[in-house]
């Protein structure tokens, strides 16, 4: 039995928050002694097992929820709280999570087996056609890389895909970096058998520009499919996407379902799931869909996505060249009318238990 500490900003709606809660619950179910500390509990929605030692550190919102590269400092009273709640104990493994939780590392007295779990691209590049914005972005990149190197110098990092491992290792030659893919936790109680297939294809995620949902809608419109599409999520792009669906004359065949805390039922009621992101560090929803026996089709937007769709030979044709909407439309049609089967071996590889085994190997 191991003693494991997780630290994360909060347990809100995001993918990093969900995978942290899932992994903590998995370790607890396996009999390990788990402590999970949130910087601030105001945004919590994730389920935590009652067997986990849960701690709300009650740090100020400016520390817990502020921008990643803004300087983070604790008050004396907050330092004392960390000492009393965390530093009086010893852990076999400490996992500092996304993303202000990284700044708590400087206040921990334990330095052995402390790992910084990096869930996505922390040095995202924002392209622009405007020369002045390009210059501004170049300066921003220089500043953020300097802060990145300072924060993670000689630290232990876990990344969710090989792309990030290679990139960050070049910036942090004195740091130890491991790649561990996220895993899926789907209980038997969650899966509902023999659900009617209502939608040909579904998109699940935040309605933001980086997700390129307009590509998914365009591919659906051009695919030749005669059924319906579901879009589960909310975000700033919603009105633009509704207007696009009208322009493409598919508005009456697309259901905007809003946010769902648990989208599994909708995924099971769909013949395929589509992912069209400009970048996706891993693409957890792809793994979830496959474990629910719903085939997926996705742009090759990262090594993490490629790894998922390379799990089986019959899945590889549905890994689409990035931003090739014409190919996406063609293969979407095939994915729906000739769905591939997902093997038990693939599901085991994508499971949260496989992720847990790799984290335990760090001890």
């Amino acid at each position: 039995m191991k003693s494991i500490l997780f630290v994360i900003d909060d347990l809100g709606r995001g993918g990093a928050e969900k995978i942290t809660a899932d992994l903590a619950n998995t370790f607890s179910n396996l009999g390990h002694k788990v402590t999970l500390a949130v910087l601030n509990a105001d945004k919590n929605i994730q389920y935590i097992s009652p067997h986990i030692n849960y701690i709300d550190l009650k740090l100020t919102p400016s520390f817990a929820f502020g921008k990643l590269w803004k300087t983070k400092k604790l008050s004396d009273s907050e330092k004392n709280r960390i000492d009393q709640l965390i530093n009086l104990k010893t852990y076999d493994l400490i996992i500092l999570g996304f993303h202000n939780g990284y700044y708590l590392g400087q206040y921990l007295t334990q330095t052995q087996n402390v790992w910084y779990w990096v869930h996505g691209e922390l040095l995202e590049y924002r392209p622009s056609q405007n020369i002045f914005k390009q210059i501004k972005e170049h300066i921003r990149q220089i500043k953020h890389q300097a802060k990145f190197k300072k924060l993670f110098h000689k630290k232990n990092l876990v990344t969710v895909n090989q792309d990030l491992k290679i990139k960050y290792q070049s910036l942090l030659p004195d740091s130890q970096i491991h790649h561990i893919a996220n895993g899926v936790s789907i209980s038997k109680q969650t899966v509902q058998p023999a659900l009617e297939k209502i939608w040909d294809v579904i998109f699940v995620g935040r309605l933001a520009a980086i997700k390129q949902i307009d590509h998914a809608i365009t591919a659906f419109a051009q695919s030749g499919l005669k059924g319906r599409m579901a879009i589960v999520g909310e975000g700033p792009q919603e009105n633009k996407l509704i207007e696009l669906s009208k322009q493409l004359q598919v508005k009456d065949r697309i259901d905007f379902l809003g946010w769902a805390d648990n989208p599994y039922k909708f995924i099971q009621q769909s013949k395929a799931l589509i992912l069209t992101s400009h970048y996706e560090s891993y693409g957890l929803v792809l793994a979830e869909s496959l474990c629910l026996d719903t085939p997926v089709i996705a742009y090759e937007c990262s090594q993490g996505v490629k790894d998922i769709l390379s799990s089986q030979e019959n899945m590889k044709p549905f890994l689409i060249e990035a931003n090739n909407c014409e190919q996406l439309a063609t293969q979407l049609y095939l994915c729906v009318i000739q769905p591939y089967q997902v093997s038990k071996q693939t599901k085991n590889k994508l499971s949260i238990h496989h992720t847990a085994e790799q984290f335990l190997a760090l001890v």
Side-chain angles (χ1 to χ4, degrees), residues 131-309:
I131 184 64
F132 297 105
K133 289 185 177 180
Q134 290 177 12
I135 295 172
K136 184 178 179 181
E137 176 62 18
H138 180 67
I139 295 172
R140 189 183 72 87
Q141 285 286 315
I142 293 173
K143 289 181 177 179
H144 287 187
Q145 283 194 18
K147 292 182 178 181
F148 176 89
K149 292 176 182 179
K150 182 179 180 180
L151 179 61
F152 296 116
H153 178 61
K154 291 187 177 181
K155 300 296 194 302
N156 301 318
L157 274 69
V158 172
T159 65
V160 296
N161 68 34
Q162 289 283 6
D163 291 347
L164 294 178
K165 176 184 176 181
I166 294 169
K167 177 179 179 178
Y168 293 164
Q169 193 71 77
S170 68
L171 296 171
L172 302 165
D174 297 322
S175 298
Q176 184 177 183
I177 304 179
H178 281 268
H179 154 237
I180 300 178
N182 286 338
V184 175
S185 176
I186 298 179
S187 65
K188 292 182 179 179
Q189 292 77 15
T190 303
V191 180
Q192 301 183 43
L195 286 177
E196 179 187 359
K197 297 292 185 180
I198 298 174
W199 297 284
D200 280 350
V201 61
I202 187 171
F203 169 87
V204 177
R206 180 163 168 75
L207 308 188
I210 195 171
K211 300 293 186 179
Q212 300 190 146
I213 309 154
D214 55 322
H215 290 222
I217 293 174
T218 301
F220 173 66
Q222 297 176 352
S223 66
L225 295 169
K226 303 301 181 183
R228 305 187 66 80
M229 178 180 189
I231 296 179
V232 177
E234 59 185 20
Q237 292 281 306
E238 183 171 354
N239 290 336
K240 290 183 179 180
L241 297 172
I242 292 174
E243 185 59 33
L244 175 64
S245 67
K246 291 177 181 178
Q247 294 173 10
L248 296 174
Q249 299 182 347
V250 289
K251 175 62 177 67
D252 61 337
R253 294 197 292 126
I254 297 182
D255 299 315
F256 287 83
L257 302 176
W259 176 264
D261 289 333
N262 186 345
Y264 291 167
K265 178 181 177 181
F266 300 122
I267 294 174
Q268 287 183 268
Q269 291 176 305
S270 303
K271 296 177 183 177
L273 179 138
I274 191 169
L275 184 143
T276 48
S277 299
H278 171 71
Y279 180 80
E280 198 78 41
S281 58
Y282 180 67
L284 186 63
V285 71
L286 296 177
E288 291 173 325
S289 184
L290 291 172
C291 289
L292 291 167
D293 290 310
T294 297
V296 302
I297 181 170
Y299 278 160
E300 187 177 343
C301 56
S302 73
Q303 186 63 44
V305 170
K306 183 178 181 179
D307 287 345
I308 292 174
L309 279 160

